[in-house]
Amino acid sequence: MATIRDVAKLAGVSISTVSLALNETGKVNEDTYQRIWQAARDVGYVANPVAQSLKSGRSRLIGMIVGDISNPFFGKILQEVERYAIEKNHLVIVSESRADPERDLAILEQLSGQRVAGVILSPHGRGREYVERISSYRMPIVMLDHKVEGIDADFIGSDNVLASAMLTEHLIRWGHTRIAHIAGITGLWTAEQRMKGFYDTMAASGLPVDDSLVVRGEYDGDLSYTQAMRLLTRPDRPTAILAANNITALGVLQAINDLGLKCPADISLTCIDDVPWSNVISPRLTMAVQSIDEIARVASKWLLERISSRTPEAIAAREHIVDPRLLIGQSCAAPAQFSTKV
Amino acid sequence: MATIRDVAKLAGVSISTVSLALNETGKVNEDTYQRIWQAARDVGYVANPVAQSLKSGRSRLIGMIVGDISNPFFGKILQEVERYAIEKNHLVIVSESRADPERDLAILEQLSGQRVAGVILSPHGRGREYVERISSYRMPIVMLDHKVEGIDADFIGSDNVLASAMLTEHLIRWGHTRIAHIAGITGLWTAEQRMKGFYDTMAASGLPVDDSLVVRGEYDGDLSYTQAMRLLTRPDRPTAILAANNITALGVLQAINDLGLKCPADISLTCIDDVPWSNVISPRLTMAVQSIDEIARVASKWLLERISSRTPEAIAAREHIVDPRLLIGQSCAAPAQFSTKV
DNA sequence: GTGAAAGCGCTAACAG
DNA sequence: CTGTTAGCGCTTTCAC
């Protein structure tokens, strides 16, 4: 590969002049500039970003850490982020924490080692130590999806309380009183918020919550399937289920099918999160949809903004909460007789 | 960040000794080694990969270029690749070509600039110039999914001819003779192969193919929807459709639903590729499933193998073709009367 | 305006 | 076995 030295030789100038010229500093004569530019073209020169990184301490790489790469929600976000990044001449490194806080930290450490320009993190930990360790990095970090208290960084996510409140209310309107909630990962912000929205709305409607109907699905399809199986084979089974996210809902749907039940005739189902191609899933789910595009767009924008700022820390931490949209499907109906009378 | 110099100072040795020690060359006394190791711990030393890359000309980064990041097929592959890579202490950069050959090349150029250790590429071009430009890189490249003739590189993909042959045969067995094929991206290997499997099987069964029933869906959901709409509103509409991939099939399904038709009563549908959570899509699709895990595993393994080899080019190009599996669903039935008599 | 030189952090000859 | 030295390719003062 051609180096700056080759260009200098061909143009008959020193390497520093080449650098000055190619970086458009305006400190070089127009004609020398032209000569250098021509020479660069001729030898096929393209700057070595590794050398630039070593010198500057920053690369044109940005990192993205998510819990589960294969979750389409993150796939979409990744896609948007990558498009935005490439436009700004950055490349993106993705890595997966598998919902493990230790892994969050370990990857962050590696990314920091690579001198990435910044990272978009969907954090899976909490507590003082976690917060401190994350805060110890000097690179710009934008937090996504899960909010962690105490971190002084930009955050972009959805109003999860509102999302499950909307859905719970929807179910209540249909006449359900015995509603189950298959929750997300214990301790995770989104999961807790969604649960809160559920409890709050039930309380506001004066409905009691049977705590045995609130179970952990951990945002995991298989576990949610098992939990749904348990719930649905109880003699006093719920008449409706609020699933914490798309993966959970699919597990539930699977359980419903396997038990030979009908949704919504036998059981109503709603969930938070968007399901890919939800319109071909039968029945079409009633859900609270997050605006993936908006989340991705704001996250990329804010990160790149900090990256290109000469004083990133001067920008106060921002927060962008996206309102979910209620999407009515065909997965809800009035409670079936035999279940309501329990 | 602590550098090798800090460690040297603390341990009271020269920086080269530190380097030698930490790289486990076995050329350092046990006690000096211990002292250095201890010092490294104390100052919190961690090698700067950027400097290492500059020196060696290779980073511990691997690239992955796919057509569409949000396609769950690639999401899954990416996940597997990332897991394997991280295990081998590598990070992965993903980028999207959006099915544009020029972009393939442009990204490859950027990755090469970053001195990535290797790349996994799902290529979208063909022809001499494309092949030559790809071949000009010295880094290990493993090709995925789409096979490009003339490139001397490892290739991992499915037997696409077999896949569509299996499905076509399945439809023929059901008694279909008027079968439509919504094909993939023009010129792309997988698309051509799938089309070939279709034509070959029809010919082998002595069935004529109505060429107007073979249309381009370009692996695009919206376009496939439109094409399916056209096909299904023809007076002489087909009794079955073979969709080139999952995205295509979902578009078709959408069209079927929107037209108020029933699958499989009114129209049979099959597709190649796996659909995420296909078991909750109604009807369960009959499809040729590719073993994503196997593809991802072999690709990662081969790439990392070349990367860690001191003579990567000495390894002859390999090819691994995965046999698709026929997964019977409920999307096929005997042709309806009114259509067959056309 | 242009060039010489120092140095980012690390590795690898080559001496000693 | 350990230290000295010379870069990898680039940016950036600082002289001229």
Side-chain angles (χ1 to χ4, degrees), chain A residues 1 48-51 53-54 61 68-70 72 75-76 78-79 82-83 86 89 91-96 98 110 113-115 247 250 253-254 276-277 279-282, chain B residues 1 48-51 53-54 61 68-70 72 75-76 78-79 82-83 86 89 91-96 98 110 113-115 247 250 253-254 276-277 279-282:
Chain A
M1 302 216 95
N48 180 339
V50 178
S53 297
L54 179 59
L61 263 20
D68 175 6
I69 292 178
S70 70
K76 259 299 184 196
L78 175 57
Q79 181 174 51
E82 196 268 344
R83 290 187 180 198
I86 216 109
N89 199 19
L91 252 18
V92 8
I93 297 177
V94 240
S95 197
E96 188 180 65
R98 304 183 214 171
Q110 280 210 56
Q114 289 290 347
R115 305 302 189 270
I247 309 254
L250 290 163
L253 216 42
Q254 183 68 51
W277 314 298
N279 37 16
V280 291
I281 284 174
S282 168
Chain B
M1 301 216 100
N48 180 340
V50 178
S53 297
L54 179 58
L61 261 22
D68 176 6
I69 291 179
S70 70
K76 259 297 185 197
L78 174 58
Q79 180 174 52
E82 195 268 344
R83 289 188 181 198
I86 215 108
N89 199 20
L91 250 20
V92 8
I93 297 177
V94 241
S95 198
E96 189 180 64
R98 304 181 216 171
Q110 279 210 55
Q114 288 290 345
R115 305 301 188 270
I247 309 254
L250 290 164
L253 216 42
Q254 183 68 51
W277 315 297
N279 38 15
V280 291
I281 283 174
S282 170

Coordinates of all heavy atoms in Angstrom, one line a residue, chain A residues 1 48-51 53-54 61 68-70 72 75-76 78-79 82-83 86 89 91-96 98 110 113-115 247 250 253-254 276-277 279-282, chain B residues 1 48-51 53-54 61 68-70 72 75-76 78-79 82-83 86 89 91-96 98 110 113-115 247 250 253-254 276-277 279-282:
Chain A
M1 N 0.8 -1.2 0.0 CA 0.0 0.0 0.0 C 0.9 1.3 0.0 O 1.9 1.3 0.7 CB -0.9 0.0 1.2 CG -1.8 -1.2 1.4 SD -3.3 -0.7 2.1 CE -4.4 -0.5 0.7
N48 N -3.6 5.6 6.1 CA -3.8 4.4 6.9 C -4.4 4.8 8.2 O -3.9 5.5 9.1 CB -2.4 3.9 7.2 CG -2.4 2.7 8.1 OD1 -3.4 2.5 8.8 ND2 -1.4 1.9 8.1
P49 N -5.7 4.4 8.4 CA -6.4 4.8 9.6 C -5.8 4.3 10.9 O -6.0 4.9 12.0 CB -7.8 4.2 9.4 CG -7.6 3.2 8.3 CD -6.5 3.6 7.5
V50 N -5.1 3.2 10.8 CA -4.5 2.7 12.0 C -3.4 3.7 12.5 O -3.3 4.0 13.7 CB -3.8 1.3 11.8 CG1 -3.2 0.8 13.0 CG2 -4.9 0.3 11.3
A51 N -2.6 4.1 11.6 CA -1.6 5.1 12.0 C -2.2 6.4 12.5 O -1.8 6.9 13.5 CB -0.7 5.4 10.8
S53 N -5.0 6.6 14.0 CA -5.6 6.3 15.3 C -4.5 6.3 16.4 O -4.7 6.8 17.5 CB -6.2 4.9 15.3 OG -7.3 4.9 14.5
L54 N -3.4 5.8 16.0 CA -2.3 5.7 17.0 C -1.9 7.1 17.4 O -1.7 7.4 18.5 CB -1.1 4.9 16.4 CG 0.1 4.8 17.4 CD1 -0.3 4.1 18.6 CD2 1.3 4.1 16.7
L61 N -14.0 4.2 14.4 CA -14.8 3.1 14.6 C -15.8 3.4 15.7 O -15.4 4.1 16.7 CB -13.9 1.9 15.2 CG -13.3 0.8 14.3 CD1 -13.3 1.2 12.8 CD2 -12.0 0.4 14.7
D68 N -28.7 -9.1 22.5 CA -29.0 -10.2 21.6 C -29.0 -9.7 20.2 O -29.9 -9.1 19.7 CB -30.3 -10.8 22.0 CG -30.7 -11.9 21.0 OD1 -29.9 -12.3 20.2 OD2 -31.9 -12.5 21.2
I69 N -27.9 -10.0 19.5 CA -27.8 -9.5 18.1 C -28.9 -10.0 17.2 O -29.4 -9.3 16.3 CB -26.4 -10.0 17.5 CG1 -25.3 -9.3 18.2 CG2 -26.4 -9.7 16.0 CD1 -23.9 -9.7 17.7
S70 N -29.4 -11.2 17.4 CA -30.4 -11.8 16.5 C -31.8 -11.3 16.8 O -32.7 -11.6 16.0 CB -30.3 -13.3 16.6 OG -30.8 -13.8 17.8
P72 N -34.5 -9.0 16.2 CA -34.8 -8.1 15.1 C -34.9 -6.6 15.5 O -34.6 -5.8 14.7 CB -36.1 -8.6 14.5 CG -36.4 -9.9 15.1 CD -35.5 -10.1 16.3
G75 N -31.5 -5.7 15.3 CA -31.1 -5.8 14.0 C -31.4 -4.5 13.2 O -30.6 -4.0 12.5
K76 N -32.6 -4.1 13.4 CA -33.1 -2.9 12.8 C -32.3 -1.7 13.2 O -31.9 -0.8 12.4 CB -34.6 -2.7 13.1 CG -35.5 -3.1 12.0 CD -35.3 -2.3 10.7 CE -36.3 -2.5 9.6 NZ -35.7 -2.0 8.3
L78 N -29.3 -1.6 14.5 CA -28.0 -1.8 14.0 C -27.9 -1.3 12.6 O -27.0 -0.6 12.2 CB -27.5 -3.2 14.1 CG -26.2 -3.6 13.5 CD1 -25.1 -2.7 14.1 CD2 -25.9 -5.1 13.6
Q79 N -28.9 -1.7 11.8 CA -28.9 -1.3 10.4 C -28.9 0.2 10.3 O -28.2 0.8 9.5 CB -30.2 -1.9 9.7 CG -30.3 -1.5 8.3 CD -31.4 -2.2 7.6 OE1 -32.6 -2.2 8.1 NE2 -31.2 -2.9 6.5
E82 N -25.6 1.7 11.4 CA -24.5 1.5 10.4 C -24.7 2.5 9.3 O -23.7 3.0 8.8 CB -24.6 0.0 10.0 CG -23.3 -0.4 9.3 CD -23.4 -0.2 7.8 OE1 -24.5 0.0 7.2 OE2 -22.3 -0.2 7.1
R83 N -25.9 2.6 8.8 CA -26.1 3.6 7.7 C -25.7 5.0 8.0 O -25.0 5.6 7.2 CB -27.6 3.5 7.2 CG -27.9 2.2 6.6 CD -29.3 2.3 6.0 NE -29.6 1.0 5.4 CZ -30.5 0.7 4.5 NH1 -31.3 1.7 4.1 NH2 -30.7 -0.5 4.0
I86 N -21.7 5.1 8.4 CA -21.0 5.0 7.1 C -21.1 6.3 6.4 O -20.1 6.8 5.8 CB -21.5 3.8 6.3 CG1 -20.4 3.2 5.5 CG2 -22.6 4.3 5.3 CD1 -20.0 1.8 6.0
N89 N -18.6 8.4 7.6 CA -17.3 7.8 7.4 C -16.8 7.0 8.7 O -15.6 7.1 9.0 CB -16.3 8.9 7.1 CG -15.0 8.4 6.5 OD1 -15.0 7.2 6.0 ND2 -14.0 9.2 6.5
L91 N -17.1 3.2 10.8 CA -17.4 1.8 10.7 C -17.9 1.3 12.1 O -17.6 1.9 13.1 CB -16.2 1.0 10.4 CG -15.9 0.3 9.0 CD1 -16.8 1.0 7.9 CD2 -14.5 0.4 8.6
V92 N -18.8 0.3 12.1 CA -19.3 -0.1 13.4 C -19.0 -1.5 13.8 O -19.1 -2.4 13.0 CB -20.8 0.3 13.6 CG1 -21.5 0.8 12.4 CG2 -21.6 -0.9 14.2
I93 N -18.5 -1.6 15.0 CA -18.2 -2.9 15.6 C -19.4 -3.3 16.4 O -19.8 -2.6 17.3 CB -17.0 -2.8 16.5 CG1 -15.8 -2.4 15.7 CG2 -16.7 -4.1 17.3 CD1 -14.5 -2.2 16.6
V94 N -20.0 -4.5 16.2 CA -21.1 -5.0 17.0 C -20.6 -6.0 18.0 O -19.8 -6.9 17.6 CB -22.2 -5.7 16.3 CG1 -23.5 -5.0 16.4 CG2 -21.8 -6.1 14.9
S95 N -21.1 -6.1 19.1 CA -20.8 -7.2 20.0 C -22.0 -7.4 20.9 O -22.9 -6.6 21.1 CB -19.6 -6.8 20.8 OG -19.1 -8.0 21.4
E96 N -22.1 -8.6 21.4 CA -23.2 -9.1 22.2 C -22.9 -9.4 23.6 O -22.0 -10.1 23.9 CB -23.7 -10.4 21.5 CG -25.0 -10.9 21.9 CD -25.4 -12.2 21.2 OE1 -24.6 -13.2 21.3 OE2 -26.3 -12.2 20.4
R98 N -25.1 -10.7 25.7 CA -26.0 -11.9 26.1 C -26.6 -11.5 27.5 O -26.6 -12.4 28.4 CB -25.2 -13.2 26.2 CG -24.5 -13.5 24.9 CD -23.8 -14.8 24.9 NE -22.6 -14.7 24.1 CZ -21.7 -15.6 24.0 NH1 -21.7 -16.7 24.7 NH2 -20.6 -15.5 23.2
Q110 N -12.6 -3.7 25.7 CA -12.0 -4.0 24.5 C -12.2 -2.9 23.5 O -11.3 -2.5 22.7 CB -12.6 -5.3 23.9 CG -12.1 -6.5 24.5 CD -12.2 -7.7 23.5 OE1 -11.6 -7.6 22.4 NE2 -12.8 -8.7 23.8
G113 N -10.0 -0.1 24.3 CA -8.7 -0.5 23.8 C -8.5 -0.2 22.3 O -7.4 0.3 21.9
Q114 N -9.5 -0.4 21.6 CA -9.4 -0.2 20.1 C -9.5 1.3 19.8 O -9.6 1.7 18.7 CB -10.6 -0.9 19.4 CG -10.4 -2.4 19.3 CD -9.3 -2.8 18.4 OE1 -8.8 -2.1 17.6 NE2 -9.0 -4.1 18.5
R115 N -9.7 2.1 20.9 CA -9.8 3.5 20.7 C -11.0 3.9 19.9 O -10.9 4.8 19.0 CB -8.5 4.1 20.1 CG -7.2 3.8 20.9 CD -7.3 4.3 22.3 NE -6.0 4.2 23.0 CZ -5.6 3.1 23.7 NH1 -6.4 2.0 23.8 NH2 -4.5 3.1 24.3
I247 N -40.5 -11.4 21.7 CA -40.0 -12.7 21.9 C -40.9 -13.5 22.9 O -41.3 -14.7 22.6 CB -38.6 -12.8 22.4 CG1 -37.7 -11.8 21.6 CG2 -38.1 -14.2 22.5 CD1 -36.8 -12.5 20.6
L250 N -44.2 -14.4 21.3 CA -44.2 -15.5 20.4 C -44.1 -16.9 21.1 O -44.7 -17.9 20.7 CB -42.9 -15.4 19.4 CG -43.1 -14.3 18.4 CD1 -41.8 -13.8 17.8 CD2 -44.1 -14.6 17.4
L253 N -47.7 -17.5 22.2 CA -48.5 -17.9 21.1 C -48.3 -19.4 20.8 O -49.2 -20.1 20.5 CB -48.1 -17.0 19.9 CG -49.2 -16.6 18.9 CD1 -50.4 -16.2 19.7 CD2 -48.7 -15.5 18.0
Q254 N -47.0 -19.7 20.9 CA -46.7 -21.1 20.6 C -47.4 -22.0 21.6 O -47.9 -23.1 21.3 CB -45.1 -21.3 20.8 CG -44.6 -22.6 20.5 CD -44.7 -23.0 19.0 OE1 -44.4 -22.2 18.2 NE2 -45.3 -24.1 18.7
P276 N -41.3 -8.5 13.9 CA -41.0 -8.4 12.5 C -42.2 -9.0 11.7 O -42.6 -10.1 12.0 CB -39.8 -9.2 12.3 CG -39.7 -10.1 13.5 CD -40.4 -9.5 14.6
W277 N -42.6 -8.3 10.7 CA -43.7 -8.8 9.8 C -44.8 -9.2 10.6 O -45.4 -10.3 10.4 CB -43.2 -9.9 9.0 CG -41.8 -9.6 8.4 CD1 -41.6 -8.6 7.5 CD2 -40.6 -10.3 8.6 NE1 -40.2 -8.6 7.2 CE2 -39.6 -9.6 7.8 CE3 -40.2 -11.4 9.4 CZ2 -38.3 -10.0 7.8 CZ3 -38.9 -11.8 9.4 CH2 -38.0 -11.1 8.6
N279 N -47.7 -8.5 10.7 CA -48.9 -8.6 9.9 C -49.2 -10.0 9.3 O -50.2 -10.2 8.8 CB -49.1 -7.5 8.9 CG -47.7 -7.2 8.2 OD1 -46.8 -8.0 8.4 ND2 -47.6 -6.1 7.6
V280 N -48.2 -10.8 9.3 CA -48.5 -12.2 8.8 C -48.6 -13.2 9.9 O -48.8 -14.4 9.7 CB -47.5 -12.7 7.8 CG1 -47.6 -11.9 6.5 CG2 -46.1 -12.6 8.3
I281 N -48.4 -12.7 11.2 CA -48.5 -13.6 12.3 C -50.0 -13.7 12.6 O -50.7 -12.7 12.6 CB -47.7 -13.1 13.5 CG1 -46.2 -13.4 13.2 CG2 -48.1 -13.8 14.8 CD1 -45.3 -12.9 14.2
S282 N -50.4 -14.8 12.9 CA -51.8 -15.0 13.1 C -52.1 -15.4 14.5 O -51.5 -16.4 15.0 CB -52.3 -16.1 12.1 OG -53.6 -16.4 12.5
Chain B
M1 N -4.0 6.0 30.0 CA -3.8 4.6 29.9 C -2.3 4.2 30.1 O -1.5 4.9 29.5 CB -4.3 4.0 28.6 CG -5.7 4.3 28.3 SD -6.5 2.9 27.4 CE -7.3 2.0 28.7
N48 N -2.0 -1.8 23.8 CA -2.8 -1.0 22.8 C -2.8 -1.7 21.5 O -1.8 -1.8 20.8 CB -2.1 0.4 22.7 CG -2.8 1.3 21.7 OD1 -3.6 0.8 20.9 ND2 -2.6 2.6 21.9
P49 N -4.0 -2.2 21.1 CA -4.1 -2.9 19.9 C -3.8 -2.1 18.6 O -3.4 -2.6 17.6 CB -5.5 -3.4 19.9 CG -6.2 -2.6 20.9 CD -5.2 -2.1 21.9
V50 N -4.1 -0.8 18.8 CA -3.8 0.1 17.6 C -2.3 0.1 17.3 O -1.9 0.0 16.1 CB -4.3 1.5 17.9 CG1 -4.0 2.4 16.7 CG2 -5.8 1.5 18.2
A51 N -1.5 0.2 18.3 CA -0.1 0.2 18.1 C 0.4 -1.1 17.5 O 1.2 -1.2 16.6 CB 0.6 0.5 19.4
S53 N -1.4 -3.1 15.8 CA -1.8 -3.2 14.4 C -0.9 -2.4 13.5 O -0.5 -2.9 12.4 CB -3.2 -2.6 14.2 OG -4.1 -3.4 14.9
L54 N -0.5 -1.3 13.9 CA 0.4 -0.5 13.1 C 1.7 -1.2 12.8 O 2.2 -1.2 11.7 CB 0.7 0.9 13.8 CG 1.6 1.8 13.0 CD1 1.0 2.1 11.6 CD2 1.9 3.1 13.8
L61 N -9.4 -7.4 14.2 CA -10.8 -7.1 13.8 C -11.1 -7.9 12.6 O -10.3 -8.2 11.7 CB -10.8 -5.6 13.3 CG -11.3 -4.5 14.2 CD1 -11.2 -4.8 15.7 CD2 -10.5 -3.2 13.9
D68 N -28.1 -7.1 3.6 CA -29.2 -6.5 4.4 C -29.0 -7.0 5.9 O -29.4 -8.1 6.2 CB -30.5 -7.0 3.9 CG -31.7 -6.5 4.7 OD1 -31.5 -5.7 5.6 OD2 -32.8 -6.9 4.4
I69 N -28.6 -6.1 6.7 CA -28.3 -6.4 8.1 C -29.5 -6.9 8.8 O -29.5 -7.7 9.7 CB -27.7 -5.2 8.8 CG1 -26.3 -4.9 8.3 CG2 -27.7 -5.4 10.3 CD1 -25.7 -3.7 9.0
S70 N -30.7 -6.3 8.5 CA -31.9 -6.6 9.2 C -32.5 -7.9 8.8 O -33.5 -8.3 9.4 CB -32.9 -5.4 9.1 OG -33.4 -5.4 7.8
P72 N -33.1 -11.4 9.1 CA -32.8 -12.3 10.3 C -31.8 -13.5 9.9 O -31.1 -14.0 10.8 CB -34.2 -12.9 10.7 CG -35.2 -12.1 9.9 CD -34.5 -11.4 8.8
G75 N -28.7 -11.9 10.5 CA -28.7 -11.6 12.0 C -28.2 -12.8 12.7 O -27.3 -12.7 13.6
K76 N -28.7 -13.9 12.4 CA -28.3 -15.1 13.1 C -26.9 -15.5 12.8 O -26.1 -15.9 13.6 CB -29.2 -16.3 12.6 CG -30.3 -16.7 13.5 CD -29.8 -17.2 14.8 CE -30.8 -17.7 15.8 NZ -30.3 -17.8 17.1
L78 N -24.5 -13.4 11.8 CA -23.7 -12.5 12.5 C -23.5 -12.8 13.9 O -22.4 -12.8 14.5 CB -24.4 -11.1 12.4 CG -23.7 -9.9 13.2 CD1 -22.3 -9.8 12.7 CD2 -24.5 -8.6 13.0
Q79 N -24.6 -13.2 14.6 CA -24.5 -13.6 16.0 C -23.5 -14.8 16.2 O -22.7 -14.7 17.1 CB -25.9 -14.1 16.5 CG -25.9 -14.5 17.9 CD -27.3 -14.8 18.4 OE1 -28.0 -15.5 17.8 NE2 -27.7 -14.1 19.5
E82 N -19.9 -13.6 15.5 CA -19.4 -12.7 16.6 C -19.0 -13.6 17.8 O -18.0 -13.3 18.4 CB -20.5 -11.7 17.0 CG -20.0 -10.6 17.8 CD -20.1 -10.8 19.3 OE1 -20.8 -11.7 19.7 OE2 -19.4 -10.1 20.1
R83 N -19.9 -14.6 18.1 CA -19.5 -15.4 19.3 C -18.2 -16.2 19.1 O -17.4 -16.2 19.9 CB -20.7 -16.4 19.5 CG -21.9 -15.7 20.0 CD -23.0 -16.7 20.5 NE -24.1 -15.9 21.0 CZ -25.1 -16.4 21.7 NH1 -25.0 -17.7 22.1 NH2 -26.1 -15.7 22.1
I86 N -15.3 -13.6 19.2 CA -14.9 -13.1 20.5 C -14.2 -14.1 21.3 O -13.3 -13.8 22.1 CB -16.2 -12.6 21.2 CG1 -15.9 -11.4 22.1 CG2 -16.8 -13.7 22.1 CD1 -16.5 -10.1 21.6
N89 N -10.8 -13.9 20.5 CA -10.3 -12.6 20.8 C -10.3 -11.6 19.6 O -9.4 -10.9 19.4 CB -8.9 -12.8 21.4 CG -8.4 -11.5 22.1 OD1 -9.2 -10.7 22.5 ND2 -7.1 -11.4 22.2
L91 N -12.8 -8.9 17.3 CA -14.0 -8.1 17.3 C -14.6 -8.0 15.8 O -13.8 -8.1 14.9 CB -13.7 -6.7 17.7 CG -14.1 -6.1 19.1 CD1 -14.5 -7.2 20.0 CD2 -13.1 -5.2 19.6
V92 N -15.9 -7.9 15.7 CA -16.3 -7.9 14.3 C -17.0 -6.6 13.9 O -17.8 -6.0 14.6 CB -17.2 -9.1 13.9 CG1 -17.5 -10.0 15.1 CG2 -18.4 -8.8 13.2
I93 N -16.6 -6.1 12.7 CA -17.2 -4.9 12.1 C -18.2 -5.4 11.1 O -17.9 -6.2 10.2 CB -16.1 -4.1 11.3 CG1 -15.0 -3.7 12.3 CG2 -16.7 -3.0 10.6 CD1 -13.9 -2.9 11.6
V94 N -19.4 -4.9 11.2 CA -20.4 -5.3 10.2 C -20.7 -4.1 9.3 O -20.8 -3.0 9.8 CB -21.9 -5.5 10.8 CG1 -22.3 -6.9 10.5 CG2 -22.0 -5.0 12.2
S95 N -21.0 -4.4 8.1 CA -21.4 -3.4 7.2 C -22.3 -3.9 6.1 O -22.4 -5.1 5.9 CB -20.2 -2.7 6.5 OG -20.5 -1.5 6.0
E96 N -23.1 -3.1 5.5 CA -24.2 -3.5 4.7 C -23.9 -3.0 3.3 O -23.7 -1.8 3.0 CB -25.5 -2.9 5.2 CG -26.7 -3.4 4.6 CD -27.9 -2.7 5.2 OE1 -28.0 -1.5 5.1 OE2 -28.7 -3.4 5.9
R98 N -26.2 -3.3 0.8 CA -27.5 -3.0 0.2 C -27.6 -3.6 -1.2 O -28.1 -3.0 -2.1 CB -27.8 -1.6 0.2 CG -27.8 -0.9 1.6 CD -28.1 0.5 1.6 NE -27.3 1.2 2.6 CZ -27.2 2.5 2.7 NH1 -27.9 3.3 1.9 NH2 -26.4 3.1 3.6
Q110 N -12.4 -0.1 2.7 CA -12.3 0.5 4.0 C -11.8 -0.5 5.0 O -11.0 -0.2 5.9 CB -13.7 1.0 4.5 CG -14.1 2.3 3.9 CD -15.0 3.0 4.8 OE1 -14.7 3.2 6.0 NE2 -16.2 3.4 4.4
G113 N -8.3 -1.0 4.7 CA -7.6 0.1 5.3 C -7.4 -0.1 6.8 O -6.4 0.3 7.3
Q114 N -8.4 -0.6 7.4 CA -8.4 -0.8 8.8 C -7.5 -2.0 9.2 O -7.4 -2.4 10.3 CB -9.8 -1.1 9.4 CG -10.7 0.1 9.4 CD -10.3 1.1 10.5 OE1 -9.5 0.9 11.4 NE2 -10.9 2.3 10.3
R115 N -6.9 -2.6 8.2 CA -6.1 -3.7 8.4 C -6.8 -4.9 9.1 O -6.2 -5.5 10.0 CB -4.8 -3.4 9.2 CG -4.0 -2.2 8.6 CD -3.5 -2.5 7.2 NE -2.6 -1.6 6.6 CZ -3.0 -0.5 5.9 NH1 -4.3 -0.2 5.7 NH2 -2.1 0.3 5.4
I247 N -38.3 -13.5 2.9 CA -38.9 -12.1 2.7 C -39.9 -12.1 1.6 O -41.0 -11.5 1.8 CB -37.8 -11.1 2.4 CG1 -36.6 -11.3 3.4 CG2 -38.3 -9.7 2.3 CD1 -36.5 -10.2 4.4
L250 N -43.1 -13.8 2.7 CA -44.0 -13.0 3.6 C -44.7 -11.9 2.8 O -45.9 -11.6 3.1 CB -43.1 -12.3 4.7 CG -42.6 -13.3 5.7 CD1 -41.4 -12.8 6.5 CD2 -43.7 -13.8 6.6
L253 N -47.6 -13.8 1.2 CA -48.6 -14.1 2.2 C -49.5 -12.9 2.5 O -50.7 -13.0 2.6 CB -47.9 -14.6 3.5 CG -48.5 -15.7 4.3 CD1 -49.0 -16.8 3.4 CD2 -47.5 -16.2 5.3
Q254 N -48.8 -11.8 2.5 CA -49.5 -10.5 2.8 C -50.5 -10.3 1.6 O -51.7 -9.9 1.9 CB -48.5 -9.4 2.8 CG -49.1 -8.1 3.1 CD -49.6 -8.0 4.5 OE1 -48.9 -8.3 5.5 NE2 -50.8 -7.6 4.7
P276 N -38.0 -16.5 10.6 CA -37.9 -16.5 12.0 C -39.2 -16.9 12.6 O -40.2 -16.4 12.2 CB -37.5 -15.0 12.3 CG -38.0 -14.2 11.2 CD -37.9 -15.1 10.0
W277 N -39.1 -17.7 13.6 CA -40.3 -18.1 14.3 C -41.4 -18.5 13.4 O -42.6 -18.2 13.5 CB -40.9 -17.0 15.2 CG -39.8 -16.4 16.0 CD1 -39.0 -16.9 16.9 CD2 -39.3 -15.0 15.9 NE1 -38.1 -16.1 17.4 CE2 -38.3 -14.9 16.8 CE3 -39.7 -13.9 15.1 CZ2 -37.6 -13.7 16.9 CZ3 -39.1 -12.7 15.3 CH2 -38.0 -12.6 16.1
N279 N -43.0 -21.0 13.1 CA -44.0 -21.8 13.6 C -45.2 -21.0 14.2 O -46.2 -21.6 14.5 CB -43.5 -22.7 14.7 CG -42.4 -22.1 15.5 OD1 -42.3 -20.9 15.5 ND2 -41.7 -22.9 16.3
V280 N -45.1 -19.7 14.2 CA -46.3 -18.9 14.6 C -46.9 -18.2 13.4 O -47.8 -17.5 13.6 CB -46.0 -17.9 15.7 CG1 -45.7 -18.7 17.0 CG2 -44.9 -17.0 15.4
I281 N -46.3 -18.4 12.3 CA -46.8 -17.7 11.1 C -47.9 -18.7 10.6 O -47.7 -19.9 10.6 CB -45.8 -17.5 10.1 CG1 -45.0 -16.3 10.5 CG2 -46.4 -17.3 8.7 CD1 -43.8 -16.0 9.6
S282 N -49.0 -18.1 10.2 CA -50.1 -18.9 9.8 C -50.4 -18.7 8.4 O -50.6 -17.6 7.9 CB -51.3 -18.5 10.7 OG -52.4 -19.1 10.2

